[in-house]
Amino acid sequence: MIEYVKGELTELTPAYAVVEAAGVGYGLNITLNTYTAVQGKKDVRLYAFEAIREDTYTLYGFATKEEREIFLMLITVSGVGANTARMILSEMTPVELCGVISSGNEKMLKTVKGIGLRTAQRIIVDLRDKIAALGMADGMPAEVGQAAEPVNKEVKDEAVGALTMLGFAPAPSAKVVIAILKEQPALPVEQVVKLALKQIK
């Protein structure tokens, strides 16, 4: 079992990171929270989860043990796979998600792509007690501040690339991203992707 990968961050997108350790490049699927945490860093440590199936071997990476722990809880819920759990943790921070679950806010969970009412209710019922034990639902952080960087083609392309890696078609993804950037041109990539996840049908 791989506990974590520590090394040089050689490639980074909002949905994927490559960490070189001992001459080996490890490709890890990441959440937007982890992307924000490691952005701009040269050396990183990502806590790993290995998804092993007959035909695939996929690594997921997390900036904190807490985020990985919540991810592992999410995938124990019927109807929630690894990609859905990653999408949930790309729309909310671990603390925000804990607050949503502990307060029984199924409406907020339903805003995540692929989460219907029944799945949202299952997540709340199955995880509420476990979340309470973590003690992470006591406070809800302020929203991440918007960067005051000018919008450029790089932001659009990176956001569309991230959405494509999450399983959405490029054309509708681009349409939504462009609309978001027209309204809020100063948004950083991770915020654009978060908004797009709520709007893509």
Side-chain angles (χ1 to χ4, degrees):
M1 175 181 172
I2 298 175
E3 173 64 15
Y4 61 81
V5 179
K6 181 180 179 181
E8 182 182 355
L9 185 63
T10 59
E11 183 181 331
L12 180 66
T13 75
Y16 189 75
V18 176
V19 180
E20 183 177 335
V24 178
Y26 294 89
L28 302 104
N29 291 315
I30 61 173
T31 67
L32 281 175
N33 291 312
T34 291
Y35 171 78
T36 301
V38 302
Q39 195 175 23
K41 294 184 177 180
K42 181 181 178 182
D43 296 310
V44 299
R45 184 207 306 253
L46 293 181
Y47 294 94
F49 167 71
E50 301 170 87
I52 302 172
R53 297 179 181 175
E54 290 183 4
D55 55 344
T56 60
Y57 174 77
T58 307
L59 276 177
Y60 293 85
F62 307 91
T64 65
K65 285 186 175 181
E66 289 77 15
E67 186 178 28
R68 182 179 63 178
E69 188 170 358
I70 293 171
F71 174 89
L72 293 175
M73 287 183 186
L74 284 169
I75 62 176
T76 66
V77 178
S78 176
V80 179
N83 282 328
T84 300
R86 179 169 67 144
M87 199 167 294
I88 294 171
L89 285 167
S90 287
E91 291 208 24
M92 297 175 235
T93 67
V95 174
E96 287 170 342
L97 178 58
C98 287
V100 165
I101 293 172
S102 65
S103 64
N105 191 344
E106 60 191 37
K107 288 184 179 180
M108 182 65 75
L109 279 173
K110 281 174 59 184
T111 65
V112 178
K113 178 72 175 179
I115 299 293
L117 177 61
R118 288 185 179 179
T119 302
Q121 291 173 336
R122 275 199 298 267
I123 291 172
I124 291 168
V125 170
D126 290 0
L127 301 186
R128 181 178 269 167
D129 290 343
K130 295 178 181 178
I131 291 298
L134 284 179
M136 290 181 65
D138 299 329
M140 296 285 284
E143 290 186 10
V144 178
Q146 297 176 0
E149 299 174 353
V151 167
N152 53 38
K153 183 175 181 294
E154 184 179 349
V155 173
K156 187 203 80 171
D157 290 347
E158 204 166 348
V160 173
L163 290 165
T164 301
M165 291 183 72
L166 287 169
F168 298 101
S173 297
K175 184 177 180 181
V176 171
V177 167
I178 290 170
I180 291 169
L181 289 173
K182 281 182 178 178
E183 290 184 7
Q184 303 181 72
L187 284 181
V189 174
E190 59 267 30
Q191 293 287 49
V192 173
V193 175
K194 280 189 178 184
L195 288 174
L197 286 171
K198 295 180 185 297
Q199 296 180 27
I200 297 177
K201 302 300 182 184

